[in-house]
Amino acid sequence: HEVQVNLLPTELPQYQGWEFVARWDPAYEVAGDFYDLQSLNKDTVCTVVADVSDKGMAAALYMAMARTVIRASVVNAATLAEGIDQANQLICRDSHAGMFVTLFYGQLNPHTGEYVYVNAGHNPPLHFNASTGKLTALTRSGMALGVEDTAVYEQHSIRIEKDDFLLLYTDGVTEAFNPLDEAFGVERLEKLLLVHEHPEASELVDHIVAEVKRFSERDQPSDDLTIVVISRKDAKAAEKAG
Protein backbone atom coordinates (compact mmCIF):
# COMPACT_ATOMS: atom_id res chain seq x y z
CA HIS A 1 0.00 0.00 0.00
CA GLU A 2 2.79 2.43 0.88
CA VAL A 3 4.58 1.69 -2.41
CA GLN A 4 1.39 2.41 -4.37
CA VAL A 5 0.76 5.63 -2.49
CA ASN A 6 4.28 6.76 -3.33
CA LEU A 7 3.53 6.22 -7.04
CA LEU A 8 0.68 8.73 -6.90
CA PRO A 9 1.30 12.49 -7.27
CA THR A 10 2.45 14.19 -4.08
CA GLU A 11 1.57 17.66 -5.36
CA LEU A 12 -1.16 18.68 -7.79
CA PRO A 13 -0.69 21.29 -10.53
CA GLN A 14 -1.26 24.93 -9.59
CA TYR A 15 -2.57 27.36 -12.21
CA GLN A 16 -4.51 30.54 -11.65
CA GLY A 17 -8.18 30.01 -12.40
CA TRP A 18 -7.96 26.21 -12.25
CA GLU A 19 -8.66 23.69 -9.52
CA PHE A 20 -7.42 20.07 -9.64
CA VAL A 21 -8.64 17.51 -7.11
CA ALA A 22 -8.10 13.75 -6.90
CA ARG A 23 -9.42 10.96 -4.67
CA TRP A 24 -8.07 7.39 -4.52
CA ASP A 25 -9.92 4.89 -2.31
CA PRO A 26 -8.69 1.29 -2.69
CA ALA A 27 -11.11 -1.48 -1.78
CA TYR A 28 -8.27 -3.50 -0.24
CA GLU A 29 -4.74 -2.77 0.93
CA VAL A 30 -3.62 -2.49 -2.70
CA ALA A 31 -5.51 -1.40 -5.82
CA GLY A 32 -5.71 -1.78 -9.58
CA ASP A 33 -6.87 1.83 -10.01
CA PHE A 34 -4.44 4.65 -10.49
CA TYR A 35 -4.37 8.27 -11.53
CA ASP A 36 -1.80 10.80 -12.61
CA LEU A 37 -2.09 14.58 -12.44
CA GLN A 38 1.04 16.54 -13.22
CA SER A 39 2.45 19.43 -15.23
CA LEU A 40 4.50 18.07 -18.11
CA ASN A 41 5.60 21.62 -18.99
CA LYS A 42 4.24 25.16 -18.65
CA ASP A 43 1.67 24.52 -21.39
CA THR A 44 0.54 20.97 -20.61
CA VAL A 45 -1.10 19.28 -17.64
CA CYS A 46 -1.60 15.52 -17.96
CA THR A 47 -4.68 13.95 -16.38
CA VAL A 48 -4.91 10.18 -16.20
CA VAL A 49 -7.37 7.73 -14.68
CA ALA A 50 -6.98 4.00 -15.24
CA ASP A 51 -8.34 0.70 -13.98
CA VAL A 52 -6.69 -2.72 -14.18
CA SER A 53 -9.03 -5.65 -14.92
CA ASP A 54 -8.16 -7.57 -11.74
CA LYS A 55 -7.85 -6.81 -8.02
CA GLY A 56 -5.33 -7.45 -5.28
CA MET A 57 -1.59 -7.87 -5.57
CA ALA A 58 -1.61 -8.97 -9.22
CA ALA A 59 -3.52 -5.84 -10.22
CA ALA A 60 -1.23 -3.65 -8.12
CA LEU A 61 1.88 -4.99 -9.84
CA TYR A 62 0.25 -4.64 -13.26
CA MET A 63 -0.75 -1.09 -12.35
CA ALA A 64 2.83 -0.16 -11.50
CA MET A 65 4.10 -1.60 -14.79
CA ALA A 66 1.37 0.09 -16.86
CA ARG A 67 1.86 3.46 -15.18
CA THR A 68 5.58 3.48 -15.96
CA VAL A 69 5.09 2.38 -19.57
CA ILE A 70 2.34 4.93 -20.24
CA ARG A 71 4.36 7.81 -18.78
CA ALA A 72 7.46 6.93 -20.77
CA SER A 73 5.54 6.37 -24.01
CA VAL A 74 3.61 9.64 -23.99
CA VAL A 75 6.31 12.07 -22.93
CA ASN A 76 8.29 11.96 -26.21
CA ALA A 77 5.51 11.02 -28.63
CA ALA A 78 4.60 13.37 -31.49
CA THR A 79 0.91 13.12 -30.57
CA LEU A 80 -1.03 11.75 -27.63
CA ALA A 81 -2.62 9.05 -29.80
CA GLU A 82 0.81 7.85 -30.92
CA GLY A 83 2.00 7.72 -27.33
CA ILE A 84 -0.98 5.60 -26.24
CA ASP A 85 -0.47 3.34 -29.25
CA GLN A 86 3.16 2.76 -28.26
CA ALA A 87 2.15 2.12 -24.65
CA ASN A 88 -0.39 -0.46 -25.77
CA GLN A 89 2.17 -2.34 -27.85
CA LEU A 90 4.62 -2.47 -24.95
CA ILE A 91 1.95 -3.53 -22.43
CA CYS A 92 0.73 -6.26 -24.80
CA ARG A 93 4.23 -7.76 -24.81
CA ASP A 94 4.12 -8.12 -21.01
CA SER A 95 0.45 -9.05 -20.68
CA HIS A 96 0.43 -12.86 -20.47
CA ALA A 97 -2.26 -13.52 -17.86
CA GLY A 98 -5.29 -12.10 -19.67
CA MET A 99 -5.08 -8.82 -17.75
CA PHE A 100 -5.64 -5.43 -19.33
CA VAL A 101 -6.07 -1.81 -18.29
CA THR A 102 -8.73 0.71 -19.27
CA LEU A 103 -7.31 4.20 -19.54
CA PHE A 104 -8.40 7.79 -20.00
CA TYR A 105 -5.53 10.15 -20.76
CA GLY A 106 -6.07 13.88 -21.28
CA GLN A 107 -3.69 16.77 -21.86
CA LEU A 108 -4.85 20.23 -20.81
CA ASN A 109 -3.46 23.56 -21.98
CA PRO A 110 -4.28 25.72 -18.93
CA HIS A 111 -3.77 28.93 -20.92
CA THR A 112 -6.35 28.19 -23.62
CA GLY A 113 -8.54 25.52 -22.02
CA GLU A 114 -7.94 23.12 -24.91
CA TYR A 115 -8.13 19.52 -23.73
CA VAL A 116 -6.88 16.69 -25.96
CA TYR A 117 -7.72 13.15 -24.90
CA VAL A 118 -7.69 9.45 -25.71
CA ASN A 119 -10.22 7.14 -24.10
CA ALA A 120 -8.90 3.58 -24.20
CA GLY A 121 -11.92 1.53 -23.17
CA HIS A 122 -12.55 3.54 -20.00
CA ASN A 123 -15.68 4.91 -18.35
CA PRO A 124 -16.47 8.11 -20.30
CA PRO A 125 -15.61 11.22 -18.26
CA LEU A 126 -18.35 13.84 -17.97
CA HIS A 127 -17.80 17.43 -19.12
CA PHE A 128 -20.15 20.02 -17.65
CA ASN A 129 -20.59 22.96 -20.03
CA ALA A 130 -21.64 26.00 -18.01
CA SER A 131 -22.93 27.91 -21.05
CA THR A 132 -25.45 25.18 -21.93
CA GLY A 133 -25.96 23.62 -18.49
CA LYS A 134 -25.47 20.17 -20.03
CA LEU A 135 -23.14 17.22 -19.59
CA THR A 136 -21.21 15.58 -22.42
CA ALA A 137 -19.61 12.14 -22.15
CA LEU A 138 -16.10 11.81 -23.58
CA THR A 139 -16.70 8.44 -25.20
CA ARG A 140 -14.22 5.73 -26.05
CA SER A 141 -11.75 6.20 -28.90
CA GLY A 142 -9.99 2.84 -28.70
CA MET A 143 -9.92 -0.42 -26.76
CA ALA A 144 -8.30 -1.14 -23.41
CA LEU A 145 -4.51 -1.45 -23.32
CA GLY A 146 -3.01 -4.92 -23.27
CA VAL A 147 -5.71 -6.62 -25.34
CA GLU A 148 -4.59 -6.31 -28.96
CA ASP A 149 -1.25 -4.91 -30.11
CA THR A 150 -2.73 -3.74 -33.43
CA ALA A 151 -5.44 -1.64 -31.76
CA VAL A 152 -5.93 1.85 -33.19
CA TYR A 153 -6.36 4.91 -30.96
CA GLU A 154 -7.85 8.27 -31.91
CA GLN A 155 -7.49 11.52 -30.05
CA HIS A 156 -10.23 14.11 -29.71
CA SER A 157 -10.41 17.53 -28.13
CA ILE A 158 -12.79 19.80 -26.25
CA ARG A 159 -12.41 23.25 -24.72
CA ILE A 160 -12.94 23.72 -21.01
CA GLU A 161 -14.38 27.20 -20.51
CA LYS A 162 -15.00 29.34 -17.41
CA ASP A 163 -17.26 27.59 -14.86
CA ASP A 164 -16.93 24.26 -16.69
CA PHE A 165 -15.71 21.15 -14.94
CA LEU A 166 -14.61 17.70 -16.03
CA LEU A 167 -15.10 14.55 -13.96
CA LEU A 168 -12.88 11.51 -14.51
CA TYR A 169 -13.73 8.36 -12.56
CA THR A 170 -13.41 4.58 -12.40
CA ASP A 171 -16.23 2.04 -12.23
CA GLY A 172 -15.96 1.99 -8.45
CA VAL A 173 -18.37 4.93 -8.66
CA THR A 174 -20.99 3.74 -11.14
CA GLU A 175 -20.75 0.02 -10.27
CA ALA A 176 -21.20 0.48 -6.53
CA PHE A 177 -24.12 -1.78 -5.54
CA ASN A 178 -26.68 -1.36 -2.77
CA PRO A 179 -28.16 -4.23 -0.68
CA LEU A 180 -30.85 -4.70 -3.37
CA ASP A 181 -28.09 -5.37 -5.94
CA GLU A 182 -28.82 -2.10 -7.76
CA ALA A 183 -25.89 -0.20 -9.29
CA PHE A 184 -25.28 3.48 -8.59
CA GLY A 185 -25.10 3.94 -12.36
CA VAL A 186 -24.25 6.74 -14.76
CA GLU A 187 -27.73 8.28 -14.71
CA ARG A 188 -27.63 8.80 -10.94
CA LEU A 189 -24.13 10.28 -11.23
CA GLU A 190 -25.25 12.70 -13.96
CA LYS A 191 -28.22 13.89 -11.90
CA LEU A 192 -25.91 14.49 -8.93
CA LEU A 193 -23.57 16.59 -11.07
CA LEU A 194 -26.37 18.70 -12.53
CA VAL A 195 -27.82 19.47 -9.11
CA HIS A 196 -24.40 20.68 -7.92
CA GLU A 197 -23.46 22.72 -10.96
CA HIS A 198 -20.86 25.13 -9.58
CA PRO A 199 -19.33 23.82 -6.35
CA GLU A 200 -15.68 23.86 -5.48
CA ALA A 201 -13.99 20.83 -7.05
CA SER A 202 -13.05 19.44 -3.63
CA GLU A 203 -16.67 19.74 -2.46
CA LEU A 204 -17.89 17.94 -5.56
CA VAL A 205 -15.50 15.03 -4.99
CA ASP A 206 -16.53 14.75 -1.33
CA HIS A 207 -20.20 14.84 -2.31
CA ILE A 208 -19.83 12.08 -4.91
CA VAL A 209 -18.01 9.80 -2.47
CA ALA A 210 -20.58 10.49 0.25
CA GLU A 211 -23.48 9.71 -2.10
CA VAL A 212 -21.87 6.46 -3.24
CA LYS A 213 -21.37 5.39 0.38
CA ARG A 214 -24.94 6.36 1.28
CA PHE A 215 -26.34 4.47 -1.71
CA SER A 216 -24.28 1.32 -1.17
CA GLU A 217 -24.65 1.48 2.63
CA ARG A 218 -20.94 0.76 2.94
CA ASP A 219 -18.18 2.85 4.48
CA GLN A 220 -15.52 0.95 2.55
CA PRO A 221 -15.90 0.66 -1.25
CA SER A 222 -16.50 -2.81 -2.66
CA ASP A 223 -14.35 -1.87 -5.66
CA ASP A 224 -11.43 0.50 -6.08
CA LEU A 225 -12.74 4.06 -6.45
CA THR A 226 -10.81 6.85 -8.11
CA ILE A 227 -12.00 10.35 -9.02
CA VAL A 228 -10.26 13.32 -10.64
CA VAL A 229 -11.99 16.68 -11.13
CA ILE A 230 -10.71 19.58 -13.23
CA SER A 231 -12.57 22.84 -12.66
CA ARG A 232 -12.10 26.19 -14.37
CA LYS A 233 -13.06 29.43 -12.67
CA ASP A 234 -12.75 33.08 -13.60
CA ALA A 235 -9.10 33.86 -12.97
CA LYS A 236 -9.77 37.36 -11.58
CA ALA A 237 -12.51 36.09 -9.28
CA ALA A 238 -10.27 33.26 -8.09
CA GLU A 239 -7.45 35.73 -7.38
CA LYS A 240 -9.83 38.00 -5.45
CA ALA A 241 -11.17 35.06 -3.41
CA GLY A 242 -7.63 33.96 -2.64
Side-chain angles (χ1 to χ4, degrees):
H1 178 82
E2 291 180 1
V3 170
Q4 280 200 304
V5 169
N6 289 332
L7 291 176
L8 300 175
T10 56
E11 295 182 0
L12 300 185
Q14 300 289 328
Y15 289 91
Q16 188 176 32
W18 292 91
E19 188 178 7
F20 302 92
V21 178
R23 180 76 172 258
W24 182 74
D25 286 348
Y28 305 103
E29 287 298 315
V30 292
D33 279 12
F34 67 95
Y35 74 89
D36 205 355
L37 198 52
Q38 63 166 329
S39 299
L40 296 181
N41 53 57
K42 64 182 180 65
D43 298 322
T44 308
V45 177
C46 82
T47 58
V48 180
V49 169
D51 185 2
V52 174
S53 59
D54 205 347
K55 295 180 178 64
M57 186 60 71
L61 293 171
Y62 196 95
M63 176 273 258
M65 179 273 292
R67 171 189 175 278
T68 302
V69 168
I70 292 164
R71 269 196 171 191
S73 298
V74 169
V75 68
N76 293 318
T79 67
L80 178 57
E82 289 182 13
I84 299 302
D85 178 75
Q86 180 181 350
N88 176 59
Q89 293 183 45
L90 293 171
I91 290 173
C92 281
R93 294 176 189 174
D94 292 328
S95 186
H96 305 299
M99 296 177 67
F100 58 87
V101 55
T102 67
L103 168 79
F104 182 89
Y105 195 120
Q107 291 181 332
L108 170 71
N109 183 323
H111 309 296
T112 66
E114 182 182 16
Y115 188 77
V116 178
Y117 67 90
V118 171
N119 186 338
H122 196 73
N123 303 79
L126 296 169
H127 171 217
F128 175 76
N129 186 317
S131 64
T132 64
K134 296 181 179 180
L135 292 165
T136 300
L138 307 189
T139 54
R140 296 170 183 176
S141 58
M143 66 171 58
L145 307 186
V147 177
E148 176 56 63
D149 62 4
T150 59
V152 176
Y153 297 92
E154 297 180 356
Q155 65 184 49
H156 301 287
S157 66
I158 60 171
R159 191 171 296 276
I160 303 176
E161 304 286 2
K162 182 175 71 71
D163 291 329
D164 288 7
F165 66 78
L166 181 64
L167 170 71
L168 285 61
Y169 63 95
T170 58
D171 58 12
V173 174
T174 51
E175 295 183 13
F177 289 88
N178 66 13
L180 298 177
D181 205 31
E182 298 170 329
F184 189 80
V186 175
E187 183 178 351
R188 188 172 278 104
L189 176 61
E190 290 178 345
K191 288 181 178 179
L192 185 155
L193 296 180
L194 291 174
V195 169
H196 297 267
E197 291 181 2
H198 303 294
E200 296 298 314
S202 57
E203 294 174 359
L204 179 59
V205 171
D206 289 343
H207 189 70
I208 293 170
V209 173
E211 284 299 302
V212 169
K213 287 182 178 180
R214 184 191 63 79
F215 174 82
S216 62
E217 299 182 18
R218 297 171 60 104
D219 288 330
Q220 187 68 15
S222 58
D223 192 6
D224 302 329
L225 184 153
T226 301
I227 298 173
V228 170
V229 171
I230 306 166
S231 179
R232 187 175 190 181
K233 302 297 182 182
D234 182 271
K236 292 181 179 178
E239 183 179 13
K240 184 178 180 181

